[in-house]
Amino acid sequence: MARRESLHGQWSSRMAFVLAATGAAVGLGNIWKFPYMTGENGGGAFVIIYLACVLAIGLPIFMAEALLGRRGRRNPINTMKLLSEEEAGGGWWQLVGWMGVLAGVLILSYYSVIAGWTFFYAWDTAAGVFTDATKAVVNTEFDDLMASWPWLLALHTIFIGLTVFVVARGVEQGLEAAVKYLMPALFILLLVLVGYAMSTEHFADAMGYMFKPDFSQVTGGTILAAMGQAFFSLSLGMGAIMAYGAYLPDDSSIGETSLTVVFADTSVALLAGLAIFPIVLQHGLNPGAGPELIFKTLPLAFGSMPGGQVFGTLFFVLLIFAAWSSSIGLIEPACARLVENHNMSRRKAAMLVGAVVWVIGIGSVLSFNVFSGEEYQFMAGTWFDNMDYLTSNIMLPLGGLLIALFAGWVMCKSSTVEELEMGTGFRYNVWSFLIRFLAPIALVIVFLNATGLLGKLG
Ligand code: TRP
């Protein structure tokens, strides 16, 4: 088949795709969310289930998204439309793309608020606020920030502005240039933090906490949370990897590329856990503290380690960059759609989507102060909690399920074989089994189980 060209240009090499996809994958999800989800869900069992989900469901779906993206070479909505025409699927498959565009916008609306906290922490650490700080000082600092919605709103605004700025500049100069140096730097700094954590007395206990599973505590909700986290962290289920795959050169191996990104993403999450839990245990903090976990633990570590002011500042600055490169991926599907179908300039598209995201984000800003009370909570909790639950636990896994079904059942074998370029032997068969049977069945069971429907049916 003659290869299509993308309207937005291409990555300059396979490595550029790896970096950009890693940039999308590695973000607040690994360093902020993974540790607190692990803490909220009881430690080891969550980690093991998470790892199983990453390997058996995440990796094959990652490959599926990349292959769909490269084959269609358009934004996720148009790619799904085009491929379903080609493969004789129904027109409604493009809804997968629409849901993805929406999920990206909703995720960024609260992601940006958390990224805003990171700005504040970079500033505070540089100013020496945390040097030799006690637990009480660190707690008050966080609680004061949460109480001030104007601050949170200002920081949210700055972050959206930064995202719009890079997306407006386009694929090569914008996205690619931003991630090349920052990801490796973040990785190295994380190693420094783990090194510090190893020097505390509680490293062994933290290892036990993270890797000794206690399956007796596991519920349907735990498994759904682990699966949702796998999708969130790998940026799956919403067409982002499809959008990035659209810029992937023809001769890059999708299998190897996907494996590299998945491996990098998972390593960063595990390292973040190893850096944080020794500190949690050392200071007798609550691992289940929720979204505040890293902001109440890391300052304590930086405050008491030699050179902590410098390392700490650097760490939070790099975390901003990690969040930044993810936020780009979150609005890229929406922007690419506006550019392709509504004849908009990239700049205009980025500004329009940014404005929508900013408005929705106000709900999350207020979730930590004005509307934090019980009387304002509904379903999963505050507005912020609901945005997170709706996207991670519902939209992404559902998107992933549909993508697996499309790649496994709607597409002809010859199309997937051609795009994956790994022959029809063992590796292809494993992928095909996972994508056709294991991933869809596991996703459906976990869904039904967590929502209690399975009990009612059975
Ligand atoms: N993976 C990102 C993180 O861990 C968050 C994310 C979810 C994302 N879906 C995405 C990023 C799509 C880019 C594109 O922080």
Side-chain angles (χ1 to χ4, degrees):
M1 189 182 86
R3 295 291 192 168
R4 275 185 266 275
E5 297 238 346
S6 160
L7 278 169
H8 308 268
Q10 266 185 30
W11 305 109
S12 55
S13 65
R14 183 178 88 97
M15 200 53 204
F17 171 83
V18 170
L19 282 169
T22 311
V26 175
L28 296 172
N30 308 61
I31 291 168
W32 160 73
K33 200 171 176 197
F34 175 77
Y36 90 71
M37 292 288 286
T38 302
E40 278 182 341
N41 290 289
F46 176 86
V47 175
I48 306 291
I49 299 169
Y50 171 78
L51 292 176
C53 290
V54 165
L55 265 189
I57 305 176
L59 179 61
I61 293 185
F62 195 105
M63 291 168 64
E65 268 201 48
L67 93 80
L68 293 177
R70 186 169 72 182
R71 202 161 177 83
R73 288 229 188 274
R74 281 164 177 69
N75 70 68
I77 300 171
N78 295 14
T79 289
M80 289 308 293
K81 182 159 180 260
L82 180 77
L83 294 183
S84 59
E85 278 159 16
E86 236 169 55
E87 305 281 347
W92 60 271
W93 279 104
Q94 58 178 303
L95 287 178
V96 177
W98 281 105
M99 187 170 73
V101 165
L102 182 66
V105 166
L106 295 182
I107 293 176
L108 185 58
S109 79
Y110 71 84
Y111 200 82
S112 160
V113 175
I114 312 296
W117 302 0
T118 314
F119 279 116
F120 184 84
Y121 272 77
W123 177 263
D124 257 11
T125 313
V129 173
F130 300 123
T131 309
D132 296 322
T134 59
K135 204 160 99 179
V137 170
V138 172
N139 285 348
T140 315
E141 198 61 15
F142 182 83
D143 298 339
D144 286 352
L145 175 64
M146 289 309 109
S148 161
W149 69 261
W151 260 106
L152 295 183
L153 186 62
L155 296 165
H156 165 61
T157 310
I158 297 176
F159 190 76
I160 296 285
L162 283 176
T163 305
V164 169
F165 174 74
V166 176
V167 173
R169 296 185 58 183
V171 174
E172 287 234 335
Q173 296 119 27
L175 314 193
E176 210 173 291
V179 287
K180 210 176 261 171
Y181 303 104
L182 303 169
M183 290 299 120
L186 180 70
F187 194 79
I188 292 170
L189 223 70
L190 212 47
L191 288 178
V192 171
L193 256 181
V194 174
Y196 171 79
M198 287 175 90
S199 75
T200 66
E201 303 152 43
H202 293 272
F203 191 71
D205 299 337
M207 287 288 280
Y209 182 76
M210 276 182 68
F211 297 109
K212 275 215 198 91
D214 172 7
F215 287 109
S216 68
Q217 304 292 326
V218 171
T219 64
T222 316
I223 304 177
L224 180 63
M227 190 145 83
Q229 173 62 13
F231 276 95
F232 184 89
S233 192
L234 295 171
S235 306
L236 289 179
M238 52 157 279
I241 298 305
M242 224 187 270
Y244 279 19
Y247 316 138
L248 186 65
D250 291 329
D251 53 1
S252 309
S253 149
I254 287 181
E256 277 167 38
T257 322
S258 305
L259 194 62
T260 314
V261 179
V262 169
F263 180 75
D265 185 71
T266 308
S267 322
V268 172
L270 293 177
L271 285 177
L274 287 178
I276 283 159
F277 285 113
I279 305 162
V280 171
L281 296 177
Q282 187 184 1
H283 292 273
L285 297 159
N286 171 18
E292 63 191 48
L293 188 65
I294 68 160
F295 297 100
K296 287 195 172 173
T297 47
L298 290 181
L300 286 171
F302 290 127
S304 56
M305 76 165 106
Q309 199 169 340
V310 175
F311 283 137
T313 309
L314 210 59
F315 178 83
F316 283 116
V317 169
L318 288 169
L319 188 54
I320 296 170
F321 280 105
W324 196 2
S325 58
S326 299
S327 67
I328 295 165
L330 284 164
I331 61 170
E332 177 62 20
C335 292
R337 164 78 187 189
L338 289 173
V339 171
E340 285 171 31
N341 294 49
H342 301 273
N343 211 3
M344 241 183 235
S345 69
R346 268 197 89 85
R347 237 184 97 216
K348 241 182 150 175
M351 279 164 50
L352 180 66
V353 181
V356 172
V357 171
W358 183 81
V359 172
I360 304 176
I362 295 175
S364 293
V365 164
L366 301 179
S367 294
F368 295 95
N369 34 67
V370 183
F371 295 134
S372 63
E374 288 283 345
E375 66 276 27
Y376 297 109
Q377 305 204 0
F378 56 105
M379 280 146 45
T382 59
W383 175 267
F384 163 83
D385 295 327
N386 277 295
M387 285 295 114
D388 185 28
Y389 192 88
L390 175 68
T391 49
S392 304
N393 291 19
I394 298 175
M395 294 173 87
L396 301 185
L398 185 61
L401 170 64
L402 294 173
I403 288 166
L405 291 177
F406 187 83
W409 295 94
V410 177
M411 280 183 100
C412 322
K413 184 172 175 188
S414 60
S415 310
T416 49
V417 167
E418 180 182 41
E419 210 59 53
L420 286 176
E421 294 164 334
M422 57 189 195
T424 50
F426 179 69
R427 285 184 308 164
Y428 179 83
N429 288 328
V430 171
W431 176 79
S432 175
F433 171 76
L434 293 175
I435 208 78
R436 300 184 70 177
F437 299 102
L438 192 102
I441 292 172
L443 276 159
V444 169
I445 291 179
V446 173
F447 248 132
L448 294 182
N449 190 13
T451 51
L453 278 173
L454 202 62
K456 283 187 201 117
L457 293 177

